[in-house]
Amino acid sequence: MGDWGRAEYLAREGIRDRRVLAAIASLSREDFVPAHERDAAQEDVPLPIGHGQTISQPYVVALMSEALRLRGCERVLEIGTGSGYQTAVLALLAREVFTVEIVRELARGARRRLHRLGFGNVFFREGDGALGWPEAAPFDAIIATAAPEEIPRALLNQLKRGGRMVIPVGAMNETQELLRIRRGMPGLLPRVERLLPVRFVPMTGQGSSMS
């Protein structure tokens, strides 16, 4: 399946945002996986990238990106850089991407990879993603590619009013749910939508969570 072939497959699976499909089509997933996984990179499956972490299947990457409803002018916070594949998709959809990875080797590998591919609108940090990036907040959108057991309070606090956060929530050995959370006006509770059941690696650190 070529890059445009992958986008056509995702469109058949229900992805409708043309900008998301074009971003997926412009990238080679093979560039973001270890050499011994490149033959499998065309498949719509998650793949190991080392250090107990995975690259999400393209459908989930596309779905999460679409759920953010990006138009190109946003500043986005990503929790869990991994190999940089989701980061690259976001960088094609938003004005700036701030990405945090706790595994040093993955963070530095993704930085080198994205610089080599010419992405100049991505900013990198090594550390506990559950703490977010307070100095760069607030963000128009936040996305997490690892699952906390509860929604980290720090991330919600760094989301703009009216902003959207897409995050998998739940323990590793239990059913996780992919949520879209919209932060409302002061005094109003966030609006939470359940998108679909998922399975993600656990978020390391996790700071403090919402009660």
Side-chain angles (χ1 to χ4, degrees):
M1 186 187 301
D3 294 324
W4 278 108
R6 180 178 293 119
E8 291 169 358
Y9 163 79
L10 293 172
R12 291 195 299 271
E13 291 297 304
I15 303 301
R16 295 289 176 260
D17 189 320
R18 293 181 180 274
R19 296 183 69 242
V20 171
L21 294 171
I24 294 285
S26 71
L27 297 169
S28 295
R29 193 171 182 237
E30 293 83 352
D31 290 335
F32 298 88
V33 301
H36 64 276
E37 295 288 355
R38 286 178 183 161
D39 288 344
Q42 293 290 341
E43 303 299 323
D44 190 29
V45 295
L47 294 172
I49 56 173
H51 308 280
Q53 305 300 302
T54 60
I55 180 175
S56 295
Q57 68 186 90
Y59 174 76
V60 171
V61 171
L63 178 70
M64 294 176 70
S65 301
E66 183 176 63
L68 290 177
R69 298 177 179 172
L70 300 174
R71 294 294 175 262
C73 59
E74 297 88 357
R75 299 171 71 251
V76 179
L77 173 65
E78 179 192 36
I79 307 304
T81 315
S83 67
Y85 182 62
Q86 174 75 82
T87 318
V89 173
L90 294 171
L92 293 168
L93 298 173
R95 179 164 60 92
E96 294 177 329
V97 179
F98 297 77
T99 184
V100 184
E101 173 59 58
I102 199 167
V103 180
R104 175 178 296 181
E105 293 82 359
L106 292 179
R108 296 183 179 183
R111 183 195 296 261
R112 291 192 297 269
R113 184 175 298 113
L114 291 171
H115 283 172
R116 185 176 69 248
L117 293 173
F119 288 95
N121 62 334
V122 180
F123 305 91
F124 300 86
R125 168 170 284 187
E126 297 173 25
D128 183 355
L131 301 177
W133 198 323
E135 308 94 289
F139 298 98
D140 300 290
I142 298 175
I143 189 170
T145 61
E149 294 188 9
E150 297 179 355
I151 301 165
R153 185 181 300 275
L155 297 185
L156 186 64
N157 290 341
Q158 291 173 39
L159 188 63
K160 280 186 179 179
R161 304 289 177 183
R164 289 170 292 276
M165 175 162 57
V166 174
I167 183 170
V169 176
M172 180 65 179
N173 295 323
E174 300 175 3
T175 300
Q176 298 173 350
E177 288 189 292
L178 186 63
L179 305 179
R180 177 166 55 194
I181 302 164
R182 182 166 182 147
R183 190 176 185 190
M185 299 304 292
L188 296 179
L189 292 174
R191 178 184 175 186
V192 179
E193 300 173 69
R194 290 168 171 80
L195 301 180
L196 77 163
V198 290
R199 182 172 293 276
F200 278 78
V201 296
M203 184 179 289
T204 306
Q206 302 194 25
S208 60
S209 301
M210 286 177 57
S211 56

